[in-house]
Amino acid sequence: MPPPADIVKVAIEWPGANAQLIEMDQKRPLSSIIREVCDGWSLSGSEQFALRYADGPQLYITEQSRGEIKNGTILRLAISPARAARQLLERIQSHGIDARLEALKELAKLSADPTFATEFINMEGIATLARLVESGTHFGEMLAFTLTAFLELMDHGIVSWDLISLSFIKQIAGYVNQPMVDVSILQRSLAILESMVLNSHSLYHRVAQEITVGQLIGHLQVSNQEIQTYAIALINALFLKAPEDRRQEMASTLAQKHLRSIILNHVIRGNRPIKAEMAHQLYVLQVLTFNLLEERMMTKMDPNDQAQRDIIFELRRIAFDGENDPTGTEKRKAMYTKDYKMLGFTNHVNPAMDFTQTPPGMLALDNMLYLAKVHQDTYIRIVLENSSREDKHECPFGRCAIELTRMLCEILQVGELPNEGCNDYHPMFFTHDRAWEEFFCVCIQLLNKTWKEMRATAEDFNKVMQVVREQITRALAMKPASIDQLKNKLRGLNYSEILRLRQSERMSQDDFQSPPIIELRERIQPEILELIKQQRLNRLCEGSCFRKLGNRRRQEKFWFCRLSLNHKVLHYGDLDESPQGEVPFELLSDKIPVSDIKSVVTGKDCPHMKEKSALKQNKEVLELAFSVLYDPDETLNFVAPNKYEYCIWTDGLCALLGREMVSDLTRSDLDTLISMEMKLRLLDLENITIPEAPPPVPKEPSSYNFTYNYS
């Protein structure tokens, strides 16, 4: 007979004594259980003791967290958080260097525990650590552990960052500005300054006064990628929190310090692979840089502003008057109207009106002027080439440039805040000081080329723009390393290739709609679904690594989960770092019988998403969250590393529970594999006739191997 649901069998250790094996009644108060354990070892003062996990993070167990204890867990009797905090506080203020170092080392470990952190902070522990830093008498390991403990304690959000003193900021900034400083101290100092900037508006101004951009850029030229990551993260934080009127000034300073070329040469083109956090910080920097365009994108042109009208006149002059006549030629108004029509403006009389819609506003005019001045031959060729075509086939340069600018802003999400967890940076944008404008110049040539290939007319304008959007997004997905590589990718994505790709992708949906083919699809589908199901379960048996959600993503902790080979048990456990390859079952200390799983929930229905709703969880994190609900009333919470792993695990868990797999990946795989199988079966058939009452079709072995290698 199975034990009651409220009884958990655990082992409890105490130094120098044999472990106690007890049945913990979860209905009893924790204090009475601790008293009973203390009595077993003849220990008095049970209120001075607490239980902690013996393995993993060794967190204290509280009434709120005791529900997470599983059968077979090894616990350890330890002094209570309050007593531990008091002792450590006394030891770090002692005069013995060795005793102080050991105390700080233990404090750095315990500070990650919220229960201990609360007790230590209530004893003015943070102020004590701040004074130790401000004194400037700590160096090396001692200082590194002090900064680690300080950062861990502050990350719990118990006290406000606004309480930090100016002398503390100056001391931390001093470690960053020193030419030679210990790596561990530099890492923690950069992380503390980043947290200050992100969590306090007033501290942003203080940090900005103490930290020079030149010093931060200097840290990007080292060989340690973690230091580079922390440095870019602090630059991003300063950029993100800067007032709008300061951002352009900061961007100019970074340009003068050659930030882009340093990142390109020392990070992107370095000899080390880009880690996930570095990729995220590069993506954030890319987004923040493009967001500098937002002001121009949302600025309407003033038709009465002569300086702005002169830009349009300059476009006309470059296209039609040439270099030898810089002042232009006096023409009648009717002649200017004709020129503006040839330039492709919608409003031929007053083209300034074309730039009154936002987006793209004045940003479109900026792009056009850059093309006309920097790539003058290309600009003149596009304009004159279209002015010599038949009216119905001319590609209106002005209208196209305006619509293309709007499209590029949408594709690159200009004006939107970075997404947490997104790593989608493009190396080519770090290869040129005017990457946005160069990108536009490549794309406007693509648009003109595609217009000709489609033999488009004015009525086809929207169709051409749809094709161009597809060409650009497909090329960006290939991650070209430079603008030249982008051009090569786009050459391979001409209109004919886009048609071929569309036809190939839609074949299973559009080309096979006759009743016999539909019937054949219905016959094949169960076999393919079974094949997909087996693939999903095989992937669950291989297992996946998941990141634990925390306040500071770079100091990540991981855990691993995998399904047993007989599909009866989920094994999981904590890891110190992301694993390389498969994790053996022996290293996974916890498990859940599949028979105990009640359901799988996703997104905002997940308990860990509901708990964090006050923190305004990022939409992307919400889309990657799922939870396993199992008996009695417990959960195992996941945040997948990417959309593919999310689909694999939710599909696999549904298949494990005998439920329908409904992810986008399953639908895509199903269409692809059915199309492959149908092509094989129809290869030698000219006509297919399905009898009114078809006999049962025996299950055939698949004609292909279903193998994925998503990396």
Side-chain angles (χ1 to χ4, degrees), residues 8-12 20-22 52-55 61 68-76 589-590:
V8 182
K9 295 182 178 180
V10 299
I12 302 180
Q20 295 187 37
L21 303 178
I22 70 168
R52 287 167 55 185
Y53 289 99
D55 301 318
I61 294 166
E68 299 174 8
I69 301 174
K70 308 292 189 301
N71 275 319
T73 301
I74 300 176
L75 304 178
R76 178 175 297 156
S589 56
D590 300 305

Side-chain angles (χ1 to χ4, degrees), residues 312 315-316 339-352 354-355 365 368 379 396-399 402:
I312 297 177
L315 290 174
R316 190 209 63 77
D339 288 347
Y340 291 143
K341 180 180 180 182
M342 292 170 65
L343 279 171
F345 290 113
T346 302
N347 191 319
H348 309 151
V349 177
N350 186 5
D354 287 16
F355 300 95
L365 188 59
M368 295 165 70
Y379 168 69
F397 169 74
R399 183 185 176 192
I402 292 170

